[in-house]
Amino acid sequence: MNTQFSVSIHILTLLATEKEPVSSQYIADSINSNATLVRKICRYLRDGHYIQSSQGISGYSLSSSANEIHLGDLYQLIFSETMHFAKIHKDTNQHCHVGKNISHALDEIYSEVDTTIINKLNTYTIQSVIDHF
Amino acid sequence: MNTQFSVSIHILTLLATEKEPVSSQYIADSINSNATLVRKICRYLRDGHYIQSSQGISGYSLSSSANEIHLGDLYQLIFSETMHFAKIHKDTNQHCHVGKNISHALDEIYSEVDTTIINKLNTYTIQSVIDHF
């Protein structure tokens, strides 16, 4: 499991509390990580229209306000739609009645759990995170 | 992310559909994995009282019926209680207001999401998985 979702929340929360655009190095210092990783995640966030890097101004800023960014939407951006909350094992034995059907059954059940996770996460915003400080 | 939760469901579903105790090799053939991995997961499942290996009889069998085994309880057994559905990055900058507080804030929010996941998963049993075949 990687930390991209948590780091994304960290970045958006940091930008929400800053008045001016901040650099990837400034963000990296807060995370205690490196600017390369930050830039990689910022690309995702920019493609998802969560952040922007304005022309002529160095650094990133939020595209919308902290109470408009819902964690469930962010979760969907970070984790691709084809990925479940739990990984399903592959290449099961197709000659076994369980091996043949387990992937499909788990896929259906996990999809419903994924929806529950996204709905629950959407009850929180970046502002909620700040409110937990 | 590893597949232990899905493989555990696979094992319990297989045992639920078998009349006689089955060996770790038989289970491994269904998963298309190896008996060593199966034995490792079976130790967890036995410690959690989901399966048993009867004296004098070779192989594993379910300790309770398929509609009494809830996936949320199983999820809690497989993933330790200290682990969230999403990983939180560590060693953030304690001199930054976000770096100092993000871990605690995410810990609280993620704990509530964990509970939602477990509750949702507990609406499914091993019998539900079979019903999805």
Side-chain angles (χ1 to χ4, degrees):
Chain A
M1 200 194 302
N2 69 48
T3 60
Q4 283 197 16
F5 180 54
S6 300
V7 169
S8 299
I9 295 173
H10 187 138
I11 294 173
L12 295 176
T13 305
L14 186 65
L15 297 190
T17 61
E18 297 288 337
K19 282 174 186 154
E20 302 291 331
V22 297
S23 69
S24 49
Q25 187 55 55
Y26 182 88
I27 298 170
D29 284 345
S30 171
I31 298 170
N32 204 9
S33 178
N34 62 72
T36 307
L37 174 80
V38 168
R39 277 194 289 270
K40 180 187 160 197
I41 297 182
C42 281
R43 269 199 297 277
Y44 275 102
L45 296 175
R46 196 174 52 193
D47 291 347
H49 307 289
Y50 285 100
I51 65 173
Q52 57 198 13
S53 43
S54 309
Q55 256 195 336
I57 305 169
S58 175
Y60 302 102
S61 58
L62 279 194
S63 300
S64 43
S65 66
N67 57 17
E68 287 172 335
I69 301 174
H70 293 84
L71 300 194
D73 298 333
L74 184 64
Y75 183 86
Q76 285 183 287
L77 177 76
I78 299 299
F79 296 103
S80 102
E81 281 179 32
T82 54
M83 213 173 129
H84 293 300
F85 76 101
K87 194 172 176 180
I88 299 175
H89 51 303
K90 290 181 178 171
D91 304 322
T92 50
N93 186 345
Q94 298 300 305
H95 299 292
C96 164
H97 63 293
V98 174
K100 189 179 176 182
N101 294 297
I102 191 76
S103 173
H104 167 75
L106 292 182
D107 194 48
E108 284 194 348
I109 292 172
Y110 286 5
S111 292
E112 292 191 34
V113 179
D114 291 338
T115 301
T116 302
I117 293 172
I118 291 160
N119 289 343
K120 176 68 179 175
L121 279 171
N122 270 338
T123 66
Y124 301 100
T125 63
I126 292 299
Q127 186 58 51
S128 314
V129 177
I130 296 169
D131 294 343
H132 275 80
F133 277 13
Chain B
M1 197 196 300
N2 68 50
T3 59
Q4 283 196 17
F5 180 55
S6 300
V7 169
S8 298
I9 295 173
H10 187 138
I11 293 173
L12 295 175
T13 305
L14 186 66
L15 296 190
T17 59
E18 297 287 335
K19 283 175 187 157
E20 301 292 329
V22 296
S23 68
S24 48
Q25 187 56 55
Y26 182 88
I27 298 170
D29 285 344
S30 172
I31 298 169
N32 203 11
S33 177
N34 62 72
T36 306
L37 173 82
V38 168
R39 276 194 290 269
K40 180 186 160 199
I41 298 181
C42 281
R43 269 200 297 276
Y44 276 101
L45 296 175
R46 196 175 51 194
D47 291 348
H49 307 291
Y50 285 100
I51 65 172
Q52 58 199 13
S53 44
S54 309
Q55 259 196 335
I57 304 169
S58 175
Y60 302 102
S61 58
L62 280 193
S63 300
S64 42
S65 65
N67 56 16
E68 286 172 337
I69 301 175
H70 294 84
L71 300 195
D73 299 333
L74 184 65
Y75 183 86
Q76 286 184 287
L77 177 77
I78 299 299
F79 296 103
S80 101
E81 281 178 30
T82 55
M83 210 174 131
H84 293 301
F85 77 100
K87 193 173 177 181
I88 299 176
H89 51 304
K90 290 182 178 168
D91 304 323
T92 50
N93 186 346
Q94 298 300 303
H95 300 293
C96 164
H97 62 292
V98 175
K100 189 179 176 182
N101 294 297
I102 191 78
S103 172
H104 168 73
L106 291 182
D107 194 48
E108 284 194 350
I109 293 172
Y110 286 6
S111 291
E112 292 189 35
V113 179
D114 291 339
T115 301
T116 302
I117 293 172
I118 290 160
N119 289 343
K120 176 68 180 177
L121 279 171
N122 270 338
T123 67
Y124 301 99
T125 63
I126 292 298
Q127 186 58 50
S128 314
V129 177
I130 297 169
D131 294 342
H132 274 81
F133 278 12

